[in-house]
Amino acid sequence: MGFNLILWCRHPNLVLSALVLFSCSFGLFSANDEVGTAEGETFTVSSFRYPQTRLRPFDLRYIRVDLPPWFSALSIALNSDVDLDVSRIERVPMSTLPIICFRDGSPPLPDTLNTSLKDSATSGINGLDVEQCFPMQKNITMKLTNNQISPGVWYIGLFNGIGPTRTQSKMIIRGPSYSFIANISVEACTNSMMRGDFCNSSVYPLSCAASVVSNALEAKVNKSMLENLVTCKSNFEAFCVHEGVPNFFSLDIMNVAEEIIITATNIRFNVTGSNDISLMCFVRHGAMPSVTSNDYSIDISKSPLVIHSPLIGRWYISIVPVNLTKTQDNNVRVCYSVESQVPQCPLGKAGPNCTMDSYLLQTFVRRGSTPFESYYLPVVGGVSYDSANFPLEPLLENSSYIGEPDNVWTYFLLDIPRGAAGGNIHIQLSSDMKISYEVYARFGGLPSLDSWDYYYANKTRRSDPSVFFTLYDSSDAKVNFYIMYAREGTWGIGLRHLNTSSDSMKGLTSMSISLERCPKRCSSHGECKFSFDASGLTSYSFCSCDRNHGGFDCSIEIVTHQGHVRQSIFLIVSNAAAILPAYWALRKKALAEWVLYTSSGISSGLYHACDVGTWCALNYNVLQFMDFWLSFMAVISTFIYLATIDEVLKRAIHTAVAILTALMAATKATRSSNVILVIVIGALGLFIGWLIEISTKYRSLSFSIGISFNFSQCFQTIKRWIYNLAKTLLRRYHWAFALAGFLALAMAAISWTLETSETYWFWHSIWHITIYTSSFFFLCSKANIEDTENQLPTNGNYELTHQDSLPRTG
């Protein structure tokens, strides 16, 4: 952008003219001024349909998209069941906000976004030079052309909630979920020399070959660079175009180069009488340039364009004639030729005039179950391969200090393999004295003071803090930082020497560069895990933090120590409420129920002690199964206890319920629907018990109805049966205790619905207290059956208790 600013300050009218002319003619003319308004032909490079995928709270999903250098457009169609009003987005907590993110080269990490999410994805795309995130919508359809984005690997990330709590382990996960279906296709121009929105702009590749050095270039370039000089030219000898008509060229940089020199030669007019000319040159890496979207620009008719430390990849060049001298002949054209020189340093050298040392780092794969973990060591003698650390002084002793003492660099080149973009570059420096180096990192080329992606100079001078640049343990004698989710491909690491003439060079400094899965091993507060994107082509790592920490590296304390103690006490001690129903069951000699309530309270306390990280008596899964299974059994047994049936039948019902609840506890025990299902099963058990009791004690009713042909008498019999049944139920239970039990059960249901990830510890403790209290009240509501059922009725016509009350007929 420095070239643009200088050019605008010196020649504002020139840039304005180029803007008007370029905008009018872009995409409408071929390189030789032939009209080409028709759309070019395209073909589908790849087309993927991702099936319906459901994202639960705090879930994420990555989709990798590969764009070849010759692609023309990327089409994305996402359909989801998200019902979100973008105009009210600020009212939605970030922890429950569904968003979609785009990033070039590696998976996005939006947890530390500093920008607002007000725009929609379809209207907010702005070149995607950096990570961009938008609120998820019901339907998202977009088409991105090769004028908007560059080829390579792109990642789409879908998140259901972001923030530090996303990686925090939770006792429960509740909240809105959403599902999506994605259709992604990549198209390319049938003609490999065509580009643009409609594949109607010709792009002429510059063919490269070793060349003979001119005298002018020999005077400007170091001799060692001339030995590896490559000259690139078009197959066409000259181009003749009208004013404002752009010509497009492409140049491929395959390896690390020192610079690119773009020159226009043989500039002339096709008619006589014109001598003033300006050729505006716009250059852009990876995408088609324009007046408003370019990396470099200059009037190439006045001087060549020099790009120092160019990035690896394809560069696009546009040349536009502007401000041609007006003549009577409207057919005036300007003719020119284009060529570029790419000087390269010999092996082991880099930097200006090839005076700096450069080392290629070899990859050493670490053994383990985690993919792509490795460390890098220089391919030179004297370096031990047994350790990831290597000393710097033996590598730097041959460095040349010609020129400015504070502008001496040593470079390291490393490669991130394909599919490893979900890993992190870990760079460490340690010294027995003050470190006298600054560290710069750049993807696709060598870094410098003007061109870098990340850097660390000292505590106050470093890259802006972000989720992709994480600094740890910084001091005068130690540097430790991570580059998160590093892009796959070539990375250049530059060490800038400080105080090269002082005694600081006498210190011993070691360096290590490694590719790790989780930063700082999740800060010892979590477990490092890995997964794959939706296509299965890229693995990415993430931290699963403990109950008290969160963030992408588990370094953020979400629950303090005091809060952890408070939550532990609430969740464990609240199970003491099981003493109430256990005591009453023991008093009534209901030993099976006493064992259930006692075991349920103990297992729940042990489970929650393990769940909050206090102490695990057994395996976590075993404790969870025991907690849910015994809780289910305790609730259902309370209902069955209220029925007065034979103990043999009770044992049969208990056995069937034990099998059913064990299956529920073993398969998705934490489902919210299980609470309703358990209450339904318990009520059904009570109802079955009542039916058995009624069929045993009152089966004479059916005989009386079947034999009596007097409708009035039959109606009176049924009426008296219903009356006596209601009277029996009123005598059977103490309804004040039953009402208290229903109130406690309602409070338990309310506390269950109020549980969230943040308030689980409180409302679940209330759930423990209220559910055990409701069981206690229900147990107390059962009256003494022997005292009520043994009272004989005083009415001699009480037919429900006299099975022989009807006269028998022969």
Side-chain angles (χ1 to χ4, degrees), residues 451-491:
S451 301
W452 45 263
D453 294 328
Y454 308 97
Y455 84 99
Y456 176 85
N458 51 50
K459 293 181 180 180
T460 58
R461 289 181 53 241
R462 61 178 185 269
S463 297
D464 293 333
S466 69
V467 70
F468 296 107
F469 178 82
T470 307
L471 181 67
Y472 298 102
D473 305 330
S474 173
S475 65
D476 290 339
K478 188 174 183 180
V479 176
N480 182 6
F481 67 86
Y482 285 84
I483 298 175
M484 300 291 296
Y485 283 5
R487 300 173 61 176
E488 57 190 49
T490 301
W491 281 81

CSV table of all heavy atoms in Angstrom, one decimal, residues 451-491:
chain,number,residue,atom,x,y,z
A,451,SER,N,7.4,-6.1,5.6
A,451,SER,CA,6.5,-7.2,5.2
A,451,SER,C,6.6,-8.3,6.2
A,451,SER,O,7.6,-9.0,6.2
A,451,SER,CB,6.9,-7.7,3.8
A,451,SER,OG,6.8,-6.6,2.8
A,452,TRP,N,5.6,-8.5,6.9
A,452,TRP,CA,5.5,-9.6,7.9
A,452,TRP,C,4.1,-9.9,8.2
A,452,TRP,O,3.2,-9.1,8.1
A,452,TRP,CB,6.3,-9.3,9.2
A,452,TRP,CG,6.1,-7.9,9.7
A,452,TRP,CD1,6.8,-6.8,9.5
A,452,TRP,CD2,4.9,-7.5,10.5
A,452,TRP,NE1,6.2,-5.7,10.1
A,452,TRP,CE2,5.1,-6.1,10.8
A,452,TRP,CE3,3.8,-8.1,11.1
A,452,TRP,CZ2,4.2,-5.4,11.5
A,452,TRP,CZ3,2.9,-7.4,11.8
A,452,TRP,CH2,3.1,-6.0,12.1
A,453,ASP,N,3.8,-11.1,8.7
A,453,ASP,CA,2.5,-11.5,9.2
A,453,ASP,C,2.4,-11.4,10.7
A,453,ASP,O,1.4,-11.0,11.3
A,453,ASP,CB,2.2,-12.9,8.8
A,453,ASP,CG,2.0,-13.0,7.3
A,453,ASP,OD1,1.6,-12.0,6.6
A,453,ASP,OD2,2.3,-14.1,6.7
A,454,TYR,N,3.5,-11.8,11.4
A,454,TYR,CA,3.6,-11.8,12.9
A,454,TYR,C,5.0,-11.5,13.2
A,454,TYR,O,6.0,-11.8,12.5
A,454,TYR,CB,3.2,-13.1,13.5
A,454,TYR,CG,1.9,-13.7,13.0
A,454,TYR,CD1,1.8,-14.6,12.0
A,454,TYR,CD2,0.7,-13.2,13.6
A,454,TYR,CE1,0.6,-15.1,11.6
A,454,TYR,CE2,-0.5,-13.7,13.2
A,454,TYR,CZ,-0.6,-14.6,12.2
A,454,TYR,OH,-1.8,-15.1,11.7
A,455,TYR,N,5.2,-10.8,14.4
A,455,TYR,CA,6.6,-10.5,14.8
A,455,TYR,C,6.6,-10.3,16.3
A,455,TYR,O,5.6,-9.9,16.9
A,455,TYR,CB,7.1,-9.2,14.1
A,455,TYR,CG,6.7,-7.9,14.7
A,455,TYR,CD1,7.6,-7.2,15.5
A,455,TYR,CD2,5.5,-7.3,14.4
A,455,TYR,CE1,7.2,-6.0,16.1
A,455,TYR,CE2,5.1,-6.1,15.0
A,455,TYR,CZ,6.0,-5.5,15.8
A,455,TYR,OH,5.6,-4.3,16.4
A,456,TYR,N,7.8,-10.4,16.9
A,456,TYR,CA,8.0,-10.1,18.3
A,456,TYR,C,9.4,-9.5,18.4
A,456,TYR,O,10.4,-10.1,18.0
A,456,TYR,CB,7.9,-11.4,19.2
A,456,TYR,CG,8.3,-11.1,20.6
A,456,TYR,CD1,7.3,-10.6,21.5
A,456,TYR,CD2,9.6,-11.2,21.1
A,456,TYR,CE1,7.6,-10.3,22.8
A,456,TYR,CE2,9.9,-10.9,22.4
A,456,TYR,CZ,8.9,-10.5,23.3
A,456,TYR,OH,9.2,-10.1,24.5
A,457,ALA,N,9.4,-8.2,18.9
A,457,ALA,CA,10.6,-7.5,19.1
A,457,ALA,C,10.9,-7.5,20.6
A,457,ALA,O,12.0,-7.8,21.1
A,457,ALA,CB,10.5,-6.1,18.6
A,458,ASN,N,10.0,-7.0,21.4
A,458,ASN,CA,10.1,-7.0,22.9
A,458,ASN,C,8.7,-7.0,23.5
A,458,ASN,O,7.7,-7.2,22.8
A,458,ASN,CB,11.0,-5.8,23.4
A,458,ASN,CG,10.5,-4.5,22.8
A,458,ASN,OD1,9.3,-4.2,22.8
A,458,ASN,ND2,11.4,-3.8,22.2
A,459,LYS,N,8.6,-6.7,24.8
A,459,LYS,CA,7.3,-6.8,25.5
A,459,LYS,C,6.4,-5.7,24.9
A,459,LYS,O,5.2,-5.9,25.0
A,459,LYS,CB,7.6,-6.6,27.0
A,459,LYS,CG,8.3,-7.7,27.6
A,459,LYS,CD,8.4,-7.5,29.1
A,459,LYS,CE,9.2,-8.6,29.8
A,459,LYS,NZ,9.3,-8.4,31.3
A,460,THR,N,6.9,-4.6,24.5
A,460,THR,CA,6.0,-3.5,24.0
A,460,THR,C,5.9,-3.5,22.5
A,460,THR,O,4.9,-2.9,22.0
A,460,THR,CB,6.6,-2.2,24.5
A,460,THR,OG1,7.9,-2.0,24.0
A,460,THR,CG2,6.6,-2.2,26.0
A,461,ARG,N,6.8,-4.1,21.8
A,461,ARG,CA,6.7,-4.1,20.3
A,461,ARG,C,6.5,-5.5,19.8
A,461,ARG,O,7.5,-6.3,19.9
A,461,ARG,CB,8.0,-3.5,19.7
A,461,ARG,CG,8.1,-2.0,19.9
A,461,ARG,CD,9.4,-1.5,19.2
A,461,ARG,NE,9.5,-1.9,17.8
A,461,ARG,CZ,10.5,-2.6,17.3
A,461,ARG,NH1,11.5,-3.1,18.1
A,461,ARG,NH2,10.5,-2.9,16.0
A,462,ARG,N,5.3,-5.8,19.4
A,462,ARG,CA,5.0,-7.1,18.9
A,462,ARG,C,3.7,-7.0,18.1
A,462,ARG,O,3.1,-6.0,18.0
A,462,ARG,CB,4.8,-8.1,20.0
A,462,ARG,CG,3.7,-7.8,21.0
A,462,ARG,CD,3.6,-8.8,22.1
A,462,ARG,NE,2.5,-8.6,23.0
A,462,ARG,CZ,2.5,-7.9,24.1
A,462,ARG,NH1,3.7,-7.4,24.5
A,462,ARG,NH2,1.5,-7.8,24.9
A,463,SER,N,3.3,-8.1,17.5
A,463,SER,CA,2.1,-8.1,16.7
A,463,SER,C,0.9,-7.8,17.6
A,463,SER,O,1.0,-8.1,18.8
A,463,SER,CB,1.9,-9.5,16.0
A,463,SER,OG,2.9,-9.8,15.1
A,464,ASP,N,-0.1,-7.3,17.0
A,464,ASP,CA,-1.3,-7.0,17.8
A,464,ASP,C,-1.8,-8.3,18.4
A,464,ASP,O,-1.9,-9.3,17.7
A,464,ASP,CB,-2.4,-6.4,16.9
A,464,ASP,CG,-2.0,-5.0,16.5
A,464,ASP,OD1,-1.2,-4.3,17.2
A,464,ASP,OD2,-2.5,-4.5,15.4
A,465,PRO,N,-2.2,-8.3,19.7
A,465,PRO,CA,-2.7,-9.5,20.3
A,465,PRO,C,-3.9,-10.0,19.6
A,465,PRO,O,-4.8,-9.2,19.4
A,465,PRO,CB,-3.0,-9.1,21.8
A,465,PRO,CG,-2.1,-7.8,22.0
A,465,PRO,CD,-2.1,-7.2,20.7
A,466,SER,N,-3.9,-11.2,19.3
A,466,SER,CA,-5.1,-11.8,18.6
A,466,SER,C,-5.1,-13.3,18.9
A,466,SER,O,-4.2,-13.8,19.5
A,466,SER,CB,-5.1,-11.6,17.1
A,466,SER,OG,-4.1,-12.3,16.5
A,467,VAL,N,-6.2,-14.0,18.6
A,467,VAL,CA,-6.3,-15.4,18.8
A,467,VAL,C,-5.3,-16.1,18.0
A,467,VAL,O,-4.9,-17.3,18.3
A,467,VAL,CB,-7.7,-15.9,18.5
A,467,VAL,CG1,-8.0,-15.9,17.0
A,467,VAL,CG2,-7.9,-17.3,19.1
A,468,PHE,N,-4.8,-15.5,16.9
A,468,PHE,CA,-3.8,-16.2,16.0
A,468,PHE,C,-2.4,-15.9,16.3
A,468,PHE,O,-1.5,-16.5,15.8
A,468,PHE,CB,-4.1,-15.8,14.5
A,468,PHE,CG,-5.4,-16.3,14.0
A,468,PHE,CD1,-6.4,-15.4,13.8
A,468,PHE,CD2,-5.6,-17.6,13.8
A,468,PHE,CE1,-7.7,-15.8,13.4
A,468,PHE,CE2,-6.9,-18.1,13.4
A,468,PHE,CZ,-7.9,-17.2,13.2
A,469,PHE,N,-2.1,-15.0,17.2
A,469,PHE,CA,-0.8,-14.7,17.7
A,469,PHE,C,-0.8,-14.7,19.3
A,469,PHE,O,-1.4,-13.8,19.8
A,469,PHE,CB,-0.2,-13.4,17.2
A,469,PHE,CG,1.2,-13.1,17.7
A,469,PHE,CD1,2.3,-13.7,17.1
A,469,PHE,CD2,1.4,-12.2,18.8
A,469,PHE,CE1,3.6,-13.4,17.6
A,469,PHE,CE2,2.6,-11.9,19.3
A,469,PHE,CZ,3.7,-12.5,18.7
A,470,THR,N,-0.3,-15.7,19.9
A,470,THR,CA,-0.4,-15.9,21.3
A,470,THR,C,0.9,-15.9,22.0
A,470,THR,O,1.8,-16.8,21.6
A,470,THR,CB,-1.2,-17.2,21.7
A,470,THR,OG1,-2.4,-17.2,21.0
A,470,THR,CG2,-1.5,-17.2,23.2
A,471,LEU,N,1.2,-15.0,22.8
A,471,LEU,CA,2.5,-14.9,23.5
A,471,LEU,C,2.4,-15.4,24.9
A,471,LEU,O,1.5,-15.1,25.7
A,471,LEU,CB,2.9,-13.4,23.5
A,471,LEU,CG,4.3,-13.0,24.1
A,471,LEU,CD1,5.4,-13.6,23.3
A,471,LEU,CD2,4.4,-11.5,24.3
A,472,TYR,N,3.4,-16.2,25.3
A,472,TYR,CA,3.6,-16.8,26.6
A,472,TYR,C,5.0,-16.5,27.1
A,472,TYR,O,5.9,-16.5,26.4
A,472,TYR,CB,3.3,-18.3,26.6
A,472,TYR,CG,2.0,-18.7,26.1
A,472,TYR,CD1,1.8,-19.2,24.8
A,472,TYR,CD2,0.9,-18.7,27.0
A,472,TYR,CE1,0.5,-19.6,24.4
A,472,TYR,CE2,-0.4,-19.1,26.6
A,472,TYR,CZ,-0.6,-19.6,25.3
A,472,TYR,OH,-1.8,-20.0,24.9
A,473,ASP,N,5.1,-16.3,28.4
A,473,ASP,CA,6.3,-16.3,29.1
A,473,ASP,C,7.4,-15.4,28.5
A,473,ASP,O,8.5,-15.8,28.2
A,473,ASP,CB,6.9,-17.7,29.3
A,473,ASP,CG,5.9,-18.6,29.9
A,473,ASP,OD1,5.2,-18.2,30.7
A,473,ASP,OD2,6.0,-19.8,29.5
A,474,SER,N,7.0,-14.1,28.2
A,474,SER,CA,7.9,-13.2,27.6
A,474,SER,C,8.8,-12.6,28.6
A,474,SER,O,8.3,-12.1,29.7
A,474,SER,CB,7.2,-12.1,26.8
A,474,SER,OG,8.0,-11.2,26.3
A,475,SER,N,10.1,-12.6,28.4
A,475,SER,CA,11.1,-11.9,29.3
A,475,SER,C,12.3,-11.5,28.5
A,475,SER,O,12.4,-11.8,27.3
A,475,SER,CB,11.5,-12.8,30.4
A,475,SER,OG,12.1,-14.0,30.0
A,476,ASP,N,13.3,-10.9,29.1
A,476,ASP,CA,14.5,-10.5,28.4
A,476,ASP,C,15.3,-11.7,27.9
A,476,ASP,O,16.1,-11.7,26.9
A,476,ASP,CB,15.4,-9.7,29.3
A,476,ASP,CG,14.8,-8.3,29.5
A,476,ASP,OD1,13.9,-7.9,28.7
A,476,ASP,OD2,15.1,-7.6,30.5
A,477,ALA,N,15.2,-12.9,28.6
A,477,ALA,CA,16.0,-14.0,28.3
A,477,ALA,C,15.2,-15.2,27.7
A,477,ALA,O,15.7,-16.2,27.5
A,477,ALA,CB,16.7,-14.5,29.6
A,478,LYS,N,13.9,-14.9,27.4
A,478,LYS,CA,13.0,-16.0,26.9
A,478,LYS,C,11.9,-15.4,26.1
A,478,LYS,O,11.3,-14.4,26.5
A,478,LYS,CB,12.4,-16.8,28.1
A,478,LYS,CG,11.7,-18.1,27.6
A,478,LYS,CD,11.3,-18.9,28.8
A,478,LYS,CE,10.6,-20.2,28.4
A,478,LYS,NZ,10.2,-21.1,29.5
A,479,VAL,N,11.7,-16.1,25.0
A,479,VAL,CA,10.5,-15.7,24.1
A,479,VAL,C,9.8,-17.0,23.8
A,479,VAL,O,10.4,-18.0,23.4
A,479,VAL,CB,11.0,-15.0,22.8
A,479,VAL,CG1,9.9,-14.8,21.8
A,479,VAL,CG2,11.8,-13.7,23.1
A,480,ASN,N,8.5,-16.9,23.9
A,480,ASN,CA,7.7,-18.1,23.7
A,480,ASN,C,6.3,-17.7,23.1
A,480,ASN,O,5.5,-17.1,23.8
A,480,ASN,CB,7.5,-18.8,25.0
A,480,ASN,CG,6.7,-20.1,24.9
A,480,ASN,OD1,6.3,-20.5,23.8
A,480,ASN,ND2,6.3,-20.8,26.0
A,481,PHE,N,6.1,-18.0,21.8
A,481,PHE,CA,4.8,-17.6,21.3
A,481,PHE,C,4.3,-18.7,20.2
A,481,PHE,O,5.1,-19.5,19.7
A,481,PHE,CB,4.8,-16.2,20.6
A,481,PHE,CG,5.7,-16.1,19.4
A,481,PHE,CD1,5.2,-16.4,18.1
A,481,PHE,CD2,7.0,-15.7,19.6
A,481,PHE,CE1,6.1,-16.3,17.0
A,481,PHE,CE2,7.8,-15.5,18.5
A,481,PHE,CZ,7.4,-15.8,17.2
A,482,TYR,N,3.0,-18.6,19.9
A,482,TYR,CA,2.4,-19.5,19.0
A,482,TYR,C,1.8,-18.8,17.8
A,482,TYR,O,1.2,-17.7,18.1
A,482,TYR,CB,1.3,-20.4,19.7
A,482,TYR,CG,1.7,-21.5,20.6
A,482,TYR,CD1,2.1,-21.2,21.9
A,482,TYR,CD2,1.8,-22.8,20.1
A,482,TYR,CE1,2.5,-22.3,22.7
A,482,TYR,CE2,2.2,-23.8,20.9
A,482,TYR,CZ,2.6,-23.5,22.2
A,482,TYR,OH,3.0,-24.6,23.1
A,483,ILE,N,1.8,-19.3,16.7
A,483,ILE,CA,1.0,-18.9,15.5
A,483,ILE,C,-0.1,-19.9,15.3
A,483,ILE,O,0.2,-21.0,14.9
A,483,ILE,CB,1.9,-18.7,14.3
A,483,ILE,CG1,3.0,-17.7,14.5
A,483,ILE,CG2,1.1,-18.3,13.1
A,483,ILE,CD1,4.0,-17.6,13.3
A,484,MET,N,-1.3,-19.5,15.7
A,484,MET,CA,-2.4,-20.5,15.7
A,484,MET,C,-2.9,-20.8,14.3
A,484,MET,O,-3.0,-19.9,13.4
A,484,MET,CB,-3.5,-19.9,16.5
A,484,MET,CG,-3.2,-19.6,18.0
A,484,MET,SD,-2.9,-21.1,18.9
A,484,MET,CE,-4.5,-21.8,18.8
A,485,TYR,N,-3.2,-22.1,14.1
A,485,TYR,CA,-3.8,-22.6,12.9
A,485,TYR,C,-3.0,-22.0,11.7
A,485,TYR,O,-3.5,-21.3,10.8
A,485,TYR,CB,-5.3,-22.2,12.8
A,485,TYR,CG,-6.2,-23.0,13.6
A,485,TYR,CD1,-5.7,-24.0,14.5
A,485,TYR,CD2,-7.6,-22.9,13.6
A,485,TYR,CE1,-6.5,-24.8,15.3
A,485,TYR,CE2,-8.4,-23.7,14.4
A,485,TYR,CZ,-7.8,-24.6,15.2
A,485,TYR,OH,-8.6,-25.4,16.0
A,486,ALA,N,-1.7,-22.4,11.6
A,486,ALA,CA,-0.8,-21.9,10.6
A,486,ALA,C,-1.3,-22.5,9.2
A,486,ALA,O,-1.6,-23.6,9.1
A,486,ALA,CB,0.6,-22.3,10.9
A,487,ARG,N,-1.2,-21.6,8.2
A,487,ARG,CA,-1.6,-22.0,6.8
A,487,ARG,C,-0.6,-23.1,6.3
A,487,ARG,O,0.6,-23.0,6.6
A,487,ARG,CB,-1.6,-20.8,5.9
A,487,ARG,CG,-2.6,-19.8,6.3
A,487,ARG,CD,-2.4,-18.5,5.5
A,487,ARG,NE,-2.7,-18.8,4.1
A,487,ARG,CZ,-2.7,-17.8,3.1
A,487,ARG,NH1,-2.5,-16.6,3.5
A,487,ARG,NH2,-3.0,-18.2,1.9
A,488,GLU,N,-1.1,-24.0,5.5
A,488,GLU,CA,-0.2,-25.0,5.0
A,488,GLU,C,0.6,-24.4,3.8
A,488,GLU,O,0.0,-23.7,3.0
A,488,GLU,CB,-1.0,-26.2,4.5
A,488,GLU,CG,-2.1,-25.9,3.5
A,488,GLU,CD,-3.1,-27.1,3.3
A,488,GLU,OE1,-3.5,-27.7,4.3
A,488,GLU,OE2,-3.3,-27.4,2.1
A,489,GLY,N,1.8,-24.7,3.7
A,489,GLY,CA,2.7,-24.2,2.7
A,489,GLY,C,4.0,-23.7,3.3
A,489,GLY,O,4.4,-24.1,4.4
A,490,THR,N,4.7,-22.9,2.6
A,490,THR,CA,6.1,-22.4,3.0
A,490,THR,C,6.0,-21.2,3.9
A,490,THR,O,5.3,-20.2,3.6
A,490,THR,CB,6.9,-22.1,1.8
A,490,THR,OG1,7.0,-23.2,1.0
A,490,THR,CG2,8.3,-21.6,2.2
A,491,TRP,N,6.7,-21.3,5.1
A,491,TRP,CA,6.8,-20.2,6.0
A,491,TRP,C,8.2,-19.7,6.1
A,491,TRP,O,9.1,-20.5,6.1
A,491,TRP,CB,6.3,-20.6,7.4
A,491,TRP,CG,4.8,-20.6,7.5
A,491,TRP,CD1,3.9,-21.6,7.2
A,491,TRP,CD2,4.0,-19.6,8.1
A,491,TRP,NE1,2.6,-21.2,7.4
A,491,TRP,CE2,2.6,-20.0,8.0
A,491,TRP,CE3,4.2,-18.3,8.7
A,491,TRP,CZ2,1.6,-19.2,8.5
A,491,TRP,CZ3,3.2,-17.5,9.2
A,491,TRP,CH2,1.9,-18.0,9.1
